[in-house]
Amino acid sequence: MLVVMKNDATEVQVQAVIREIESWGYRGIPIPGAQRTAVCIVDNTGPVEDSRLLSLDGVKEAIRVTKPYKLVSRETHPQSTIIAIGDIKIGGEEPVIMAGPCAVESEEQALTIAHLVKQYGAQIFRGGAFKPRTSPYSFQGLGEEGLKILKKVRSETGLLIVTEATDHTNIEIVEQYGDIIQIGARNMQNYSLLRRAGRASKPILLKRGFAATIGELLMSAEYIMSEGSTQVILCERGIRTFADNTRSTLDLSAIPSIKEVSHLPVVVDPSHAAGRREYVIPLSKGAIAVGADGLLVEVHHDPSHALSDGMQSLYPEQFEKLMREIESLRR
Ligand code: PEP
Ligand code: MN
């Protein structure tokens, strides 16, 4: 249930509503809006009786939330969420481009790619220091050394950093170094990691699992938000189907479907969906055309020697072309 406060309700009245909800053994999470605050009741497993709440000072109305997810739902938060980090706004008018190698391999590699993607217009550098690899024998990332390189990338280029936390043992350090914490497809239902991510001071980029429905993705985002975070970016990165011409099947319908029911920004990762660099530009244009708030694209200056995902990494000149084509599409 959502308790909508009157426009002139005071903070004391909002707190009284939260205390009343807590006295029933539930939590009340305040959701500030442009005009008024609402309080979302969570942890209840069935309907809540609203008459006591309606009698409290400052309460305008109580609305039943019909979806199983609450904090991520547009019913709770009708305006689209814009996540602002410095001057960058994810979910605003302009698509935000995050680009870089799959993995940070060395300082020279990361800085070379970062300068190139910045030159062509990316706003955020992506690169993994902790890599969730299908094989235990594949390159697992440089760990903290990789994070230190990412810090240098930010100070040399001014690009923000998105990088992945793969479990509860590295999320704290990723939180210190990164500007956005990525949770990968394989971890979309790692609930202890999601809960810890919800207490982080940085925005979370949550990727859809290969076999997850939109509802399951939204419930995972709900785990994060139920811990207090309001800064969640969803990412469609392809799902597993019978199609074997690509690594995964990019589900472009996910973008309008999510936007219909959720206020959270949605970005698209065409690289992991395609698995082949030849398809990344057309899929990126499709993503922008259906309303994605941004892209997460793998780029490498020397893909044939990349330690991971070289086949799907764009050459810098292809990334430049992508940026030009997106700009004309956007116009
Ligand atoms: C990645 O972003 O490099 C990655 C491993 O992606 P995913 O979790 O979507 O497979
Ligand atoms: Mn990758």
Side-chain angles (χ1 to χ4, degrees):
M1 179 176 292
L2 190 68
V3 185
V4 180
M5 304 300 294
K6 291 180 182 157
N7 287 3
D8 59 355
T10 63
E11 183 52 30
V12 171
Q13 291 169 338
V14 173
Q15 288 307 321
V17 167
I18 293 174
R19 271 200 310 281
E20 178 66 22
I21 294 166
E22 286 174 351
S23 75
W24 304 337
Y26 310 140
R27 282 181 300 150
I29 299 191
I31 302 173
Q35 310 288 328
R36 41 80 179 157
T37 296
V39 179
C40 186
I41 304 177
V42 299
D43 296 339
N44 55 310
T45 48
V48 173
E49 177 48 53
D50 60 10
S51 53
R52 174 83 193 105
L53 290 168
L54 289 171
S55 70
L56 295 180
D57 288 341
V59 173
K60 180 165 179 266
E61 58 183 335
I63 301 171
R64 287 200 189 284
V65 179
T66 56
K67 299 280 192 298
Y69 37 85
K70 302 175 182 186
L71 299 167
V72 307
S73 169
R74 245 191 220 286
E75 290 179 314
T76 306
H77 193 288
Q79 286 144 337
S80 295
T81 285
I82 298 177
I83 297 180
I85 318 171
D87 301 338
I88 313 271
K89 290 189 171 56
I90 304 170
E93 296 279 296
E94 306 284 322
V96 171
I97 310 299
M98 313 178 197
C102 182
V104 175
E105 299 166 8
S106 67
E107 185 175 311
E108 193 194 349
Q109 173 250 20
L111 282 170
T112 304
I113 300 170
H115 283 295
L116 286 164
V117 298
K118 172 156 178 150
Q119 182 189 337
Y120 300 137
Q123 295 104 327
I124 302 180
F125 184 73
R126 65 138 286 152
F130 294 97
K131 292 304 304 175
R133 302 304 301 280
T134 303
S135 163
Y137 310 120
S138 301
F139 176 59
Q140 306 283 312
L142 295 178
E144 186 168 3
E145 190 196 333
L147 294 176
K148 289 186 177 152
I149 293 172
L150 289 170
K151 187 175 171 190
K152 186 146 190 200
V153 166
R154 180 179 37 228
S155 64
E156 272 211 13
T157 64
L159 290 169
L160 295 174
I161 302 295
V162 54
T163 191
E164 180 163 353
T166 48
D167 61 35
H168 65 280
T169 64
N170 56 40
I171 186 165
E172 197 166 320
I173 187 162
V174 168
E175 181 181 1
Q176 284 164 28
Y177 284 93
D179 296 299
I180 300 175
I181 304 169
Q182 176 175 322
I183 305 243
R186 293 160 186 77
N187 269 320
M188 191 203 85
Q189 288 179 312
N190 179 340
Y191 298 119
S192 57
L193 183 61
L194 297 178
R195 284 198 191 278
R196 170 61 184 80
R199 297 191 292 273
S201 55
K202 305 276 169 72
I204 307 297
L205 187 144
L206 176 65
K207 297 185 95 175
R208 180 181 181 185
F210 326 122
T213 63
I214 301 292
E216 287 161 344
L217 172 64
L218 293 172
M219 286 313 271
S220 290
E222 186 80 13
Y223 261 90
I224 299 172
M225 294 189 75
S226 75
E227 292 295 320
S229 174
T230 54
Q231 311 271 286
V232 181
I233 304 153
L234 302 173
C235 179
E236 163 58 37
R237 48 78 70 213
I239 49 173
R240 185 155 290 179
T241 66
F242 56 82
D244 60 1
N245 54 322
T246 48
R247 183 175 176 181
S248 294
T249 299
L250 185 62
D251 179 10
L252 283 181
S253 69
I255 293 93
S257 302
I258 293 171
K259 286 186 168 285
E260 185 180 348
V261 294
S262 174
H263 56 92
L264 296 175
V266 189
V267 301
V268 167
D269 169 355
S271 308
H272 289 87
R276 296 179 51 184
R277 70 176 70 84
E278 294 78 8
Y279 300 162
V280 169
I281 293 181
L283 292 180
S284 298
K285 292 198 285 187
I288 298 298
V290 296
D293 295 302
L295 298 173
L296 191 80
V297 187
E298 287 187 340
V299 180
H300 201 290
H301 66 302
D302 184 10
S304 57
H305 292 103
L307 295 182
S308 63
D309 289 345
M311 290 246 299
Q312 66 197 32
S313 298
L314 294 182
Y315 287 99
E317 50 278 18
Q318 288 178 306
F319 180 66
E320 184 195 12
K321 181 166 184 272
L322 166 74
M323 294 301 281
R324 268 191 280 114
E325 295 199 5
I326 283 179
E327 177 55 22
S328 55
L329 184 65
R330 199 187 59 73
R331 271 208 305 274

